[in-house]
Amino acid sequence: MHRTDGPVVLTLDYPGFRKEARIDELGLDRHGVRVHELLRAPLPRAVSGAAYAARLLAGLPPQPGPVAAIAAYCASAPLAFEVAAALGGPPPLIVLFDPETTSWDTVTADYRARLAGLGIPPDGQADPVGDRAATTLADDPQRFVDALTGELARLARAALRAAGADEAEVTASATHLLGAYTDWLCHLVAARHARTSGWPGEVLCLTSADSVPSGIARDAGTRAELRLPCDRFELLRSEEARAAVLDALGVAREPYAQEGSGRCPSVSWS
């Protein structure tokens, strides 16, 4: 039987198919942790970290106790700080798994991959916001999102018509593609415009063996980084990650039994 008085953990793990394991595969709930995923449909269409976090929390049901931690994976990592700040009160623990920050190159590569999926070759891919794209992303994120989504919609409709789709099919397919892309782009842009520096609380950063350090929250009040002996695909189902999170939460668990190790990974706070 699951405990009902365990710590509350809010998670940020972008929905949709991926090959990498997901946060829920850690099985924290089996140890009495009450886990609530914030990134559920409908996703926010906000372009600042603060606004995005506020909309996520607006749909959160009342919690039976204080939130002990915010856990986030990959590109969602910066948003964990905005969610934690919006909660108010004592700062909860922030747990980051293979955290990444959003760069202009990340957004560009993703956009061009969408165009390639429509059959548009790289030499036919125009930059919809011109030479000042990176500056626009930084200074006017809503204009940036509008530019990319508008251009993608135009190109998607043209590609579908060229493939022989009728107008009903064009409308349905383009609407589905654009909706999914707008959700993801807003998530990336909001994460880029999230405040991560100066966090006064604890940050636990768990990284896979093949990950590239992000440097996020280097100035946190207390920070620990633990590189685990697993690849990115297995990080969120590894016993090492589970043990480290439960230890940070102060949750009693079964003795650590990772084959070949026989001990819990050591977390050094600084």
Side-chain angles (χ1 to χ4, degrees):
M1 179 179 295
H2 293 179
R3 290 167 47 199
T4 59
D5 59 347
V8 175
V9 175
L10 306 182
T11 61
L12 293 160
D13 196 353
Y14 199 84
F17 171 79
R18 70 171 187 243
K19 295 180 180 179
E20 298 90 341
R22 306 191 66 84
I23 292 178
D24 61 9
E25 293 182 63
L26 284 174
L28 299 177
D29 58 327
R30 296 196 296 271
H31 298 266
V33 179
R34 292 172 289 174
V35 180
H36 185 92
E37 173 56 58
L38 291 177
L39 290 172
R40 298 180 177 185
L43 294 170
R45 296 282 179 88
V47 296
S48 75
Y52 201 96
R55 294 187 190 182
L56 289 176
L57 291 174
L60 182 67
Q63 297 299 313
V67 174
I70 314 294
Y73 176 72
C74 194
S76 299
L79 294 169
F81 296 87
E82 292 285 12
V83 169
L87 289 171
L93 168 70
I94 290 180
V95 182
L96 307 177
F97 303 97
D98 273 352
E100 293 183 4
T101 54
T102 301
S103 67
W104 163 239
D105 288 341
T106 300
V107 176
T108 300
D110 182 74
Y111 177 74
R112 296 197 181 286
R114 308 277 173 156
L115 296 186
L118 293 169
I120 301 173
D123 58 2
Q125 297 181 5
D127 184 346
V129 288
D131 295 335
R132 299 184 68 247
T135 301
T136 305
L137 172 59
D139 297 341
D140 194 347
Q142 187 61 62
R143 176 171 168 257
F144 180 85
V145 169
D146 292 344
L148 260 65
T149 55
E151 184 70 356
L152 182 64
R154 183 185 69 80
L155 293 171
R157 291 177 181 275
L160 290 165
R161 291 189 184 103
D166 61 32
E167 284 305 308
E169 292 172 325
V170 167
T171 298
S173 297
T175 299
H176 176 75
L177 183 152
L178 189 64
Y181 178 66
T182 303
D183 284 345
W184 176 235
L185 181 60
C186 285
H187 179 267
L188 289 179
V189 173
R192 180 177 174 85
H193 290 83
R195 298 162 295 178
T196 61
S197 63
W199 180 248
E202 295 181 337
V203 176
L204 173 60
C205 185
L206 301 177
T207 61
S208 53
D210 53 352
S211 68
V212 177
S214 69
I216 192 171
R218 287 291 183 189
D219 62 347
T222 306
R223 189 180 190 277
E225 183 163 350
L226 186 63
R227 185 172 291 272
L228 303 179
C230 59
D231 62 24
R232 183 178 181 85
F233 296 96
E234 296 298 316
L235 176 63
L236 290 173
R237 63 172 65 96
S238 72
E239 182 63 26
E240 292 97 339
R242 181 182 305 111
V245 173
L246 292 174
D247 281 354
L249 290 171
V251 174
R253 57 185 173 80
E254 294 299 319
Y256 185 72
Q258 180 70 15
E259 183 178 355
S261 172
R263 63 182 179 84
C264 177
S266 176
V267 178
S268 298
W269 297 91
S270 60

